[in-house]
Amino acid sequence: RDNMALKEKLALLNLNADQERIVVEKFLATLSLVNVEEVKEIIAYLREKGIQITKAREIKIIGNSKDEMAKKFSILGELHETDIYKQDPTMLNKNVIDLYRRIQYCRQNGIEYKTK
């Protein structure tokens, strides 16, 4: 039964064969922490935000609840900087207040913090 749920979660991620193999080898713990419904909800929310998990290491963000993600999007949305999550979905695992402060600091001090 657990194996079926795992296969279903993997299918939801829609990764290529190489990335799926890496998930199985390295990130099964993350997948085992969330149920199929949570995975569906999180993937749907990420899609809404224009984010797709394409690399095995990015599945670590599934450990965040949809509510946590929404809060992070809201906070960085104030700075119009949610693209940071599109560029690197794993940034959703970072402390959003730290990210917010760093962006503010860079802006205030004329420091380039994005690649063009």
Side-chain angles (χ1 to χ4, degrees), residues 4-59:
M4 286 301 292
L6 185 62
K7 283 185 173 152
E8 192 176 346
K9 291 176 203 176
L10 271 171
L12 288 169
L13 291 169
N14 202 22
L15 296 171
N16 70 33
D18 283 346
Q19 292 300 310
E20 195 169 289
R21 184 181 43 75
I22 295 168
V23 168
V24 171
E25 289 172 4
K26 296 183 177 179
F27 300 108
L28 278 186
T30 301
L31 274 184
S32 66
L33 293 173
V34 288
N35 65 41
V36 172
E37 290 309 311
E38 289 169 318
V39 173
K40 284 180 183 173
E41 182 181 51
I42 289 165
I43 288 175
Y45 179 75
L46 290 172
R47 266 198 199 114
E48 238 174 67
K49 296 295 185 183
I51 296 173
Q52 187 159 353
I53 294 173
T54 58
K55 296 179 182 81
R57 66 181 183 82
E58 294 169 351
I59 75 150

Side-chain angles (χ1 to χ4, degrees), residues 87-112:
Q87 290 169 2
D88 182 0
T90 63
M91 294 300 275
L92 279 160
N93 285 343
K94 304 261 188 240
N95 180 315
V96 70
I97 300 304
D98 289 346
L99 285 173
Y100 185 94
R101 285 188 187 131
R102 281 192 210 151
I103 291 168
Q104 286 289 71
Y105 176 84
C106 289
R107 284 181 174 180
Q108 289 164 356
N109 293 284
I111 300 167
E112 196 60 46

Side-chain angles (χ1 to χ4, degrees), residues 61-79:
I61 66 173
I62 288 178
N64 294 290
S65 71
K66 181 185 161 208
D67 290 344
E68 286 174 61
M69 287 184 188
K71 190 164 64 177
K72 291 177 180 191
F73 269 96
S74 172
I75 291 169
L76 283 195
E78 291 176 24
L79 297 175

